[in-house]
């Protein structure tokens, strides 16, 4: 069942939306001295070579990070994220792309901690290699992130950013994500939780944002980026969304300028659009 490999999709429009929100949120959390944990329930390999056979197969980064790479007019939140990708590619040629664990590692301070789950046997080994000199600040778990996270909550410093980023190839991932959020909130109600989801033509994906809004109806933010019309054959990813519970205060304002810019730069046809909605307490 574990056929998904993120390298095929590294740096695509969905990664751009997800990763710029992760960077913006962690930068906000790092403004206070108090330590926090970054928990990634579905970590992937941690970082990707864009000249690998997997990444070049469909070259999805060409319509994701690609169009942003050389732009000089990036809104602040996009720039903070693109600067991290630039830091991985100091000679100016886009060759490497960071996964969420690597972006988090770059943003976290000495007092913060990473907790990363990855189930795929090959991916966890690459993740281990990528974090081999991280020391005790990063703990890697070869296992199921949906249930594994529950043993970590509440985290010792009582502050955490949690990314739940399944591939949703198994449609049970939608329900498991909702269950994990509910169980996590029972243990740790004040954490910031971010869920990525795909816009595809299946009912589970279409009803997912409304289900997410019911998890904590008083404090959420939802941003989605659609890059094209749904395809005629019913297959493929036409966009994606990020749904945050207890979002950082700065995020909604940052996204007001970011989302129209992403539609302009990454939109493929006249189906391109964004949504930005929130209920904040
Ligand atoms: N978060 C990563 C990033 O942004 O760079 C990408 C993660 S990728 C979308 C999803 C990953 O989850 C895959 O590497 C897959 O092997 C892994 N996975 C699938 N089911 C899992 C589970 N139940 N627990 C932990 N990892 C799982």
């Amino acid at each position: 069942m574990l056929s998904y490999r993120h390298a095929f999709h590294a740096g695509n429009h969905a990664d751009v939306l997800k990763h710029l929100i992760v960077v913006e949120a962690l930068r906000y959390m790092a403004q206070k001295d108090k330590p926090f944990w970054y928990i990634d329930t579905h970590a992937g390999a941690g970082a990707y070579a864009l000249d690998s056979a997997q990444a070049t197969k469909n070259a999805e980064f060409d319509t994701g990070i690609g169009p942003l790479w050389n732009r000089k007019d990036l809104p602040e939140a996009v720039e903070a994220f693109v600067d991290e990708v630039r830091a991985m590619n100091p000679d100016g040629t886009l060759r490497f792309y960071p996964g969420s664990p690597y972006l988090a590692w770059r943003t976290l301070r000495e007092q913060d901690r990473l907790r990363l789950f990855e189930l795929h046997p090959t991916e966890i080994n690459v993740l281990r290699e990528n974090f081999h000199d991280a020391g005790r600040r990063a703990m890697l778990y070869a296992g199921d992130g949906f249930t594994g996270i529950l043993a970590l909550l509440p985290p010792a410093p009582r502050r955490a950013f949690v990314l739940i980023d399944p591939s949703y190839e198994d449609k049970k991932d939608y329900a498991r994500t909702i269950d994990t959020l509910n169980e996590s909130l029972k243990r740790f109600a004040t954490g910031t939780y971010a869920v990525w989801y795909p816009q595809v033509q299946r009912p589970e994906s279409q009803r997912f944002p409304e289900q997410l809004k019911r998890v904590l109806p008083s404090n959420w933010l939802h941003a989605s980026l659609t890059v094209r019309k749904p395809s005629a054959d019913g297959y493929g990813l036409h966009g994606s969304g990020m749904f945050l519970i207890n979002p950082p205060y700065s995020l909604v304002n940052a996204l007001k300028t970011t989302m129209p810019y992403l539609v302009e730069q990454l939109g493929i046809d006249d189906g391109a659009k964004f949504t930005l909605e929130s209920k904040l307490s």
Side-chain angles (χ1 to χ4, degrees):
M1 193 64 225
L2 278 177
S3 58
Y4 180 91
R5 305 292 301 276
H6 194 67
F8 288 100
H9 312 289
N12 69 3
H13 58 85
D15 262 4
V16 166
L17 176 69
K18 168 178 57 184
H19 291 153
L20 77 84
I21 288 177
V22 168
V23 170
E24 178 67 21
L26 294 181
R27 281 187 343 138
Y28 177 84
M29 291 183 73
Q31 283 172 12
K32 275 193 200 157
D33 287 343
K34 198 167 183 282
F36 68 91
W37 285 15
Y38 170 84
I39 305 175
D40 207 324
T41 59
H42 295 69
Y48 303 90
L50 295 181
D51 55 4
S52 70
Q54 291 170 335
T56 51
K57 181 149 191 271
N58 296 319
E60 293 187 19
F61 53 86
D62 273 348
T63 47
I65 182 67
L68 306 175
W69 181 242
N70 285 317
R71 293 212 64 100
K72 305 273 184 275
D73 61 348
L74 300 172
E76 202 190 329
V78 187
E79 187 163 41
F81 149 69
V82 174
D83 279 351
E84 291 299 341
V85 189
R86 289 180 179 145
M88 273 187 108
N89 296 280
D91 70 359
T93 304
L94 176 60
R95 241 188 248 118
F96 298 103
Y97 183 80
S100 49
Y102 183 82
L103 288 167
W105 176 251
R106 292 263 312 169
T107 314
L108 266 51
R109 296 108 9 119
E110 200 53 42
Q111 65 266 41
D112 304 324
R113 298 286 178 269
L114 274 91
R115 300 290 183 256
L116 311 173
F117 292 88
E118 174 52 52
L119 195 55
H120 194 293
T122 310
E123 300 296 84
I124 184 72
N125 282 337
V126 181
L127 186 67
R128 282 198 177 113
E129 271 166 41
N130 283 331
F131 277 83
H132 74 276
D133 57 0
R136 295 181 52 190
R137 286 171 57 213
M139 300 239 327
L140 279 53
Y141 305 94
D144 176 25
F146 286 123
T147 49
I149 183 183
L150 301 179
L152 301 184
L153 300 180
R158 299 294 197 272
R159 284 184 86 207
F161 178 93
V162 176
L163 176 64
I164 304 180
D165 182 24
S167 67
Y168 300 91
E169 286 201 320
D170 180 348
K171 67 179 183 190
K172 289 196 196 99
D173 282 355
Y174 294 94
R176 295 194 77 193
T177 296
I178 301 279
D179 291 347
T180 298
L181 282 172
N182 282 322
E183 288 305 312
S184 298
L185 282 164
K186 276 186 209 159
R187 290 163 174 78
F188 180 45
T190 55
T192 295
Y193 298 87
V195 172
W196 177 87
Y197 72 89
Q199 288 183 331
V200 289
Q201 295 180 69
R202 76 195 293 179
E204 290 82 4
S205 153
Q206 281 147 23
R207 60 178 176 242
F208 201 45
E210 292 309 312
Q211 291 177 322
L212 287 164
K213 286 176 197 172
R214 289 196 289 272
V215 173
L216 184 67
S218 59
N219 202 15
W220 54 262
L221 183 156
H222 176 218
S224 72
L225 172 68
T226 307
V227 294
R228 60 174 168 80
K229 289 186 216 151
S231 65
D233 65 8
Y235 292 105
L237 184 76
H238 51 271
S240 68
M242 279 287 274
F243 191 94
L244 287 95
I245 289 177
N246 300 325
Y249 290 113
S250 63
L251 194 56
V252 75
N253 271 340
L255 292 179
K256 279 181 190 158
T257 43
T258 296
M259 297 309 296
Y261 183 86
L262 293 180
V263 170
E264 205 180 285
Q265 299 303 325
L266 306 187
I268 292 167
D269 63 24
D270 59 10
K273 60 181 182 191
F274 72 92
T275 54
L276 179 58
E277 46 178 357
S278 58
K279 188 92 187 280
L280 303 173
S281 60

